[in-house]
């Protein structure tokens, strides 16, 4: 059990658009809800993240001429996958899955709100420089150990876990409560990247 003041459960992007029927549906995305609700009982600090893009966000294929979802583009900050429009601020797609327990969360961190920069990680936007403030929040609360779950394993979970490990947190990803998009081998690459950065992987 992880009932400790130094441990936090970070629940990444369990939103309708990442669940079956959503705009950027992750296969089996809704299957993470029950295990995540169960897990919350073992944590005294719970943080939810919410992908929260303005209309016309630069990560949307629809914001670029002659581009389709899943094409790559070069942004000022580097290569970026283009996505279907998803998690638009205030839309039903951006809402948490209706069965996700949200009552005990201390913090809901919204990310991807800057029109010009995508943000997979809960810590830094995709320019790898703009901080979300989550590091300071966790440190000020004395949290040193993080358990990450949610969607999608190979994008937001991966980048959040690797950034957290680089920042010196003790990080575990529990794959039993994660699901992947798996675009061109991105899941295998994500697992390798997390392992290389000393992220503990459970449920593989
Ligand atoms: C995500 C792609 C675009 C995620 C968010 O939550 O993994 N993936 N926006
Ligand atoms: Zn997004």
């Amino acid at each position: 059990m992880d009932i400790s003041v130094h441990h936090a459960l970070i629940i990444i992007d369990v939103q309708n658009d990442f669940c079956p029927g959503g705009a950027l549906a992750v296969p089996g995305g809704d299957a993470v809800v029950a295990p995540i609700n169960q897990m919350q009982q073992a944590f005294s600090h719970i943080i939810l993240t919410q992908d929260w893009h303005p209309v016309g966000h630069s990560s949307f294929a629809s914001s670029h001429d002659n581009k389709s979802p899943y094409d790559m583009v070069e942004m000022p900050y580097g290569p970026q996958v283009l996505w279907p429009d998803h998690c638009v601020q205030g839309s039903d797609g951006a809402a948490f899955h209706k069965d996700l327990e949200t009552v005990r969360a201390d913090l809901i961190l919204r990310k991807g709100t800057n029109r010009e920069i995508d943000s997979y990680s809960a810590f830094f936007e995709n320019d790898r420089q703009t901080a979300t403030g989550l590091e300071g929040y966790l440190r000020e609360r004395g949290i040193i150990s993080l358990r990450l779950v949610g969607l999608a394993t190979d994008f937001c979970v991966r980048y959040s876990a690797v950034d957290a490990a680089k920042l010196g947190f003790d990080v575990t990803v529990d794959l039993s409560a994660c699901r992947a998009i798996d675009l061109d081998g991105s899941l295998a690459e994500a697992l390798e990247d997390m392992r290389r950065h000393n992220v503990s992987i459970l449920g593989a």
Side-chain angles (χ1 to χ4, degrees), residues 53 57-59 75 77 80 112-119 125-128 130:
H53 301 306
H57 191 257
S58 59
S59 76
M75 296 288 203
Y77 54 79
Q80 168 73 46
T113 57
N114 181 342
R115 196 180 174 284
E116 310 305 327
I117 314 178
D118 204 4
S119 189
E125 299 190 11
N126 286 9
D127 62 359
R128 318 308 300 138
T130 308

Side-chain angles (χ1 to χ4, degrees), residues 69-100:
Y70 312 107
D71 285 350
M72 294 289 301
V73 285
E74 204 55 44
M75 296 288 203
Y77 54 79
Q80 168 73 46
V81 183
L82 294 179
W83 303 106
D85 290 22
H86 65 280
C87 297
V88 172
Q89 297 174 353
S91 66
D92 284 346
F96 292 118
H97 186 286
K98 68 173 177 23
D99 298 328
L100 181 72

Side-chain angles (χ1 to χ4, degrees), residues 20 24 29 33 93 95 97 108 113 120 156 173 178 183:
L24 179 36
V33 174
H97 186 286
I108 297 176
T113 57
Y120 295 148
C156 292
V173 168
C178 297
L183 212 75

